[in-house]
Amino acid sequence: MVNNSVSRRDFMRRASKSAGASLAAKTIFLDPLSSYAQKASVAASDRLRMGMIGVGEQGAGVLRRAIAHPGIECVAACDLWDGRHTLAQEIVGKPIKCTRHYQELLDDKSIDIIINATPDHWHSKIVVDSCNAGKDIYSEKPMTHQVSEGFAMIAAAEKNKRIVEIGSGAADSWTSIKARELIASGAIGDVRTIEVSTGRNTPNGAWESWMPPPGLSPDNLDWNTWLGNAPKIPFDPIRFVRWRGYRAYGTGVAGDLMVHLLTALIHSAGIKEPPFRAHSTGGLYVFKDHGREYPDVHHVIYDYPGLQVIVKLMLTCETHESAKYYGTRGLLEIGGDGITITPQDGKDYDPGWYQQGYPRAMREAYEKQWHLDRDAELPKKKPEPVVYRNPESGQGLDHLGIFFEAVRTRNPKIITEDAVFGNNAAIACHMANASYFSKSVAVWDAKAKKIRTA
Ligand SMILES: NC(=O)c1ccc[n+]([C@@H]2O[C@H](COP(=O)([O-])OP(=O)(O)OC[C@H]3O[C@@H](n4cnc5c(N)ncnc54)[C@H](O)[C@@H]3O)[C@@H](O)[C@H]2O)c1
């Protein structure tokens, strides 16, 4: 399960070499990871013209970050709500072509790359259409809304030799990169269990206080196209905003939040496939308004070959995002402060408990002999914990910048979360939902590329 070759990317090697001065006992401050975004400028031939599809809550931020990169110019934006045409121009800072029809961006030969930040039920079609139109594409997570979509997206990327990156920055966070390096180096032995969790406890965190923009109506929104392949229903402004809670458009807390936890651990543990089994449970306890369908508490146990992954996700109590990797030679914990490794050598340092049930003379003789036999060979003290901290809190590799660099160099190998990776993470999310809704174990049928439930 654990991939032992960490030399895949130059910058990972640089990151490990930079694990430098130990300023406090057993605390190691890491240098910032090198990042493609640090380039001050790019050659004219390396300039990329981008088209933005979906300029909503996430798309607005991605657009801002994208054009902050040297050599990236947004020349057109597409959204189904006209208000977001205004927003796109505000962000870009000049008039650009704005349309409700993304095919116009794909038909524009001057556009090199597409960024797709539409709701989940639109990801697949836009990625496939973009690849077929010869565009490289950065598409938001979760990669898919349905299992079958992922394989069509991979095929379209391969057939057209397109660069595809999926937008979960967790893949390139410093913690997932450093954890991967430590695990692959054997720092905690064989990892057999991973536990990850996160929690929120506000209506905002559960998307429930998100309100439709004033004046939103079918006059300024193409509602029928927004529905896509979902059942046709009359205009519903709540669904337009809070689509994450409904099965026809979103993937619930699994595809929205759990996917980041899974993406990080898939990278750190070197996982290359979907889980073969998932069992999930939970419920919709608090945020029941407007017919929301997905649970607000969702816990999952996944089985991968030789590895169990336990996910705790709740919108009913705020908790720090955390990850624990349980290895045969130690515990690796990722928390607010950084990464802590608590090594375990698996040795007995004293005679233990069982002889407490011997009569005194027998017990004392046993313990004396125990020490005589073993003390000389035991290390003087137990291994101590080591803490890794990043001086620039939270800083990782530049996920978007890696996409731009991959496009410029035509080198998809520098991308961590490519379409295959993104698909594996998304399948795990779909398995969590399949298990929850079927109230049964979800099994991945790799041959049929389908999830089976009872
Ligand atoms: N990577 C992250 O950390 C992160 C964070 C938040 C959201 N996301 C993802 O980003 C995506 C968008 O989320 P959001 O919160 O911005 O949603 P949103 O509803 O705020 O915005 C989506 C926009 O896409 C537009 N749209 C829908 N279908 C379209 C189509 N066919 N053509 C053109 N425009 C279309 C909508 O009109 C809307 O303006 C989701 O997949 C979400 O999971 C990722």
Side-chain angles (χ1 to χ4, degrees), residues 53-59 78-81 84 102 117-120 122-123 126 140-142 167 226 240 243-244 256 260:
I53 306 179
V55 197
E57 175 260 336
Q58 173 70 355
C78 169
D79 202 290
L80 302 177
W81 175 42
R84 287 182 170 147
Y102 73 78
T118 55
D120 305 354
W122 265 104
H123 289 180
I126 290 174
E140 269 304 340
K141 63 80 212 164
W226 187 93
F240 172 78
W243 52 263
R244 286 165 169 80
D256 206 73
H260 292 301

Side-chain angles (χ1 to χ4, degrees), residues 308-320:
Q308 283 214 321
V309 172
I310 301 160
V311 186
K312 281 192 300 186
L313 209 148
M314 64 201 92
L315 301 178
T316 53
C317 181
E318 190 173 336
T319 60
H320 288 301

Side-chain angles (χ1 to χ4, degrees), residues 81-301:
W81 175 42
D82 301 343
R84 287 182 170 147
H85 300 170
T86 310
L87 174 62
Q89 313 214 40
E90 285 168 1
I91 294 170
V92 173
K94 61 178 184 188
I96 55 169
K97 175 188 170 72
C98 287
T99 170
R100 290 181 176 185
H101 309 286
Y102 73 78
Q103 192 60 44
E104 289 177 23
L105 273 55
L106 305 189
D107 291 341
D108 183 340
K109 298 279 177 253
S110 79
I111 291 179
D112 306 299
I113 54 172
I114 296 292
I115 293 185
N116 174 25
T118 55
D120 305 354
H121 68 303
W122 265 104
H123 289 180
S124 152
K125 182 161 169 48
I126 290 174
V127 168
V128 169
D129 288 351
S130 297
C131 289
N132 287 339
K135 311 293 186 202
D136 301 306
I137 179 162
Y138 176 100
S139 189
E140 269 304 340
K141 63 80 212 164
M143 181 164 130
T144 57
H145 182 241
Q146 306 289 336
V147 165
S148 59
E149 297 169 348
F151 297 96
M153 293 157 87
I154 293 168
E158 284 173 356
K159 186 180 94 188
N160 296 290
K161 296 193 171 37
R162 290 301 97 199
I163 306 278
V164 176
E165 183 176 49
I166 305 305
S168 177
D172 289 311
S173 70
W174 79 267
T175 47
S176 65
I177 293 168
K178 187 69 190 169
R180 176 181 166 93
E181 179 201 314
L182 289 164
I183 291 166
S185 74
I188 56 167
D190 296 328
V191 177
R192 296 284 169 235
T193 304
I194 303 172
E195 191 182 351
V196 290
S197 66
T198 194
R200 295 176 170 181
N201 194 7
T202 61
N204 177 44
W207 326 303
E208 284 297 302
S209 56
W210 294 14
M211 296 308 292
L216 182 76
S217 83
D219 291 340
N220 48 45
L221 166 71
D222 180 350
W223 173 246
N224 268 334
T225 301
W226 187 93
L227 286 170
N229 56 12
K232 296 292 175 209
I233 56 165
F235 172 57
D236 181 341
I238 290 293
R239 285 182 180 234
F240 172 78
V241 178
R242 303 182 203 162
W243 52 263
R244 286 165 169 80
Y246 302 91
R247 296 178 76 183
Y249 332 107
T251 42
V253 289
D256 206 73
L257 306 177
M258 201 180 289
V259 72
H260 292 301
L261 305 175
L262 292 169
T263 299
L265 74 86
I266 284 172
H267 188 49
S268 299
I271 294 170
K272 303 273 183 220
E273 62 208 313
F276 64 82
R277 192 166 46 208
H279 179 249
S280 83
T281 183
L284 183 54
Y285 299 110
V286 179
F287 300 103
K288 298 178 183 180
D289 291 352
H290 302 287
R292 179 177 172 136
E293 293 163 336
Y294 282 113
D296 47 30
V297 171
H298 200 172
H299 305 318
V300 197
I301 300 177

